[in-house]
Amino acid sequence: MSLPLVTTAERRHRLGRRHRLAPSARAATVAETADSVVALHATDAATVFLSARARLTEGGPDAIERALYEDVSLVRLLSMRNTLFAVSAELAPHVDASTARAIAAKERRTLLKRLDEDGQGLDAAWLAGAEAAALDALDAHGPSTGSQLSAAVPALRQKITISRGKKYETEQGVATRVIRLLAADGRIRRDRPRGSWTSSQYRWVHTEPWPALPAAESRTEIARRWLRAYGPATEADLKWWTGWTLTDVRKALATVGPDQVRLEDGTTALVSPGDTGPEPAPEPWAALLPGLDPTGMGWADRGFHLDPAHRRALFDYAGNIGPTVWWNGEIVGGWAQRSDGEIVWRLLGSPGRAAEQAITAEAARLAAWVGDARITPRFRTPLERELVA
């Protein structure tokens, strides 16, 4: 029996609806924007805000700040691919169990190895004492930056030598490493930054770790949600997106029980069980998505929504996508913000007059939303640099 066909056009329709980018599909809450794509990239502080903005029916940066720092319905976790993501509080325990726990354990092993190699007698007991002192300081002083924690906790001012005796020997403080470890363990979380919503100079607060869940069950839950948002896709796509081993990917997919479909190029891909029917076309939509937006980073192979000829202009050397312009599920250009606040964009191709009008309107909506804030992507791409020059 032949497999159901999912066309490129239908895959693009799915992006508009399931990623909440078509106007009628936009979300009412910030947590819903994250759930629509499973997780929002959070390496760059502005990405969380701009990704959520593109998917919300209304609300400004203050709505996203409330979700992150007051309601805590959206939380940042070091997780997939050892990268910082923002996920809904509902999904966070599954992300923690499926991915973050293993990363935290590796982080602890690495730091303990560094302490041992330094030769000052700093060991697991010393580290536990430093961590406890940092938590006590947060309880006593409230939300604190890394610098404030170091001022309050003498152990965090300790310095160690990395690669002693080698030509690249260097001395480093332990504060950043200890704080990173506490965050990876879920014992502290990022609170409001010192600056605006575009700043990554976070304050830290003491919090309780996420409830322990079976790792295999949580990987299944992540795989189920990811297939719903990103299918049709392959096990290679899921392995790339999660950073899991191929064995773990296959076990999770086997439990989900996905259906297979045929793509226009003749390859086979996976979708959620029963999700083989055609996707209705949403109304025409345009979007200006930030660098590292999950819709641009959801697959190892992005050929269905990006002309390979445009990849060099829109990605940096490491494969990080920059700010992009979308029309009906296809990347058609890039955008940037100049130092005076102007939003500028360039098309790569000729999507037509309707596309240009919609993109112009979306650029104006973005400019009004951003207001006086200034955005420079952490990972800069050739086209973004050209546009601001």
Side-chain angles (χ1 to χ4, degrees):
M1 186 174 74
S2 62
L3 298 175
L5 173 66
V6 175
T7 66
T8 298
E10 287 168 353
R11 294 185 77 181
R12 293 173 180 173
H13 296 339
R14 289 172 181 240
L15 291 188
R17 291 183 181 278
R18 300 186 186 185
H19 288 213
R20 303 279 196 168
L21 292 167
S24 63
R26 287 179 183 152
T29 71
V30 176
E32 287 173 349
T33 70
D35 282 340
S36 69
V37 288
V38 187
L40 301 173
H41 278 262
T43 303
D44 193 331
T47 295
V48 175
F49 286 79
L50 297 177
S51 291
R53 177 213 68 87
R55 297 168 170 87
L56 282 170
T57 54
E58 59 183 3
D62 58 320
I64 300 165
E65 288 178 315
R66 283 196 302 273
L68 284 165
Y69 309 125
E70 296 176 22
D71 306 337
V72 197
S73 57
L74 190 70
V75 294
R76 296 181 177 95
L77 290 176
L78 187 65
S79 49
M80 286 74 70
R81 302 194 310 282
N82 205 14
T83 297
L84 193 64
F85 281 88
V87 302
S88 69
E90 175 194 1
L91 186 61
H94 292 291
V95 173
D96 180 69
S98 68
T99 311
R101 288 294 87 238
I103 291 172
K106 184 177 179 180
E107 291 277 330
R108 184 169 295 278
R109 290 194 300 270
T110 299
L111 180 52
L112 287 172
K113 180 181 178 182
R114 296 292 191 193
L115 295 177
D116 180 62
E117 291 173 346
D118 182 54
Q120 297 185 61
L122 306 179
D123 55 12
W126 178 89
L127 177 57
E131 291 175 301
L135 296 177
D136 288 343
L138 289 175
D139 291 339
H141 302 295
S144 305
T145 65
S147 296
Q148 290 169 333
L149 276 177
S150 293
V153 180
L156 295 184
R157 299 195 292 273
Q158 176 74 44
K159 294 184 180 297
I160 60 174
T161 300
I162 306 297
S163 302
R164 186 183 297 276
K166 298 181 180 179
K167 62 180 180 180
Y168 45 87
E169 174 183 312
T170 184
E171 189 177 66
Q172 294 181 356
V174 301
T176 299
R177 292 173 178 269
V178 174
I179 290 170
R180 179 180 172 89
L181 183 55
L182 285 168
D185 276 340
R187 291 188 284 170
I188 63 174
R189 64 170 174 81
R190 291 163 179 82
D191 199 62
R192 289 184 183 274
R194 290 188 62 183
S196 73
W197 55 268
T198 63
S199 172
S200 295
Q201 293 184 337
Y202 299 109
R203 295 178 175 89
W204 297 92
V205 294
H206 190 180
T207 190
E208 291 298 318
W210 298 103
L213 299 176
E217 292 180 13
S218 290
R219 283 192 289 268
T220 298
E221 179 64 18
I222 298 296
R224 181 182 292 111
R225 294 189 184 218
W226 182 86
L227 269 182
R228 179 65 182 170
Y230 295 94
T234 65
E235 68 175 24
D237 290 327
L238 181 58
K239 181 180 183 298
W240 177 85
W241 190 87
T242 58
W244 299 341
T245 67
L246 183 57
T247 297
D248 284 340
V249 167
R250 287 176 172 171
K251 286 180 178 178
L253 287 173
T255 305
V256 172
D259 286 339
Q260 293 187 336
V261 296
R262 180 170 54 88
L263 305 180
E264 284 186 322
D265 63 2
T267 60
T268 299
L270 307 175
V271 295
S272 297
D275 190 22
T276 58
E279 187 79 13
E283 68 274 40
W285 59 274
L288 272 66
L289 300 183
L292 296 179
D293 186 86
T295 299
M297 296 284 289
W299 302 262
D301 179 8
R302 305 175 179 101
F304 78 96
H305 64 61
L306 172 66
D307 185 333
H310 303 328
R311 185 180 180 94
R312 176 171 292 186
L314 297 170
F315 286 78
D316 72 1
Y317 72 95
N320 299 302
I321 198 168
T324 48
V325 176
W326 294 69
W327 174 243
N328 291 339
E330 182 181 10
I331 297 176
V332 296
W335 67 272
Q337 185 191 40
R338 290 181 173 157
S339 59
D340 63 0
E342 181 186 7
I343 301 295
V344 292
W345 47 276
R346 182 186 301 168
L347 295 179
L348 301 172
S350 302
R353 179 177 294 274
E356 292 187 28
Q357 292 175 339
I359 292 164
T360 299
E362 183 62 16
R365 189 172 86 94
L366 172 61
W369 195 92
V370 169
D372 294 333
R374 295 295 178 264
I375 302 157
T376 301
R378 177 170 297 188
F379 303 105
R380 305 194 66 185
T381 56
L383 181 54
E384 188 270 337
R385 290 180 181 274
E386 287 181 27
L387 289 173
V388 300

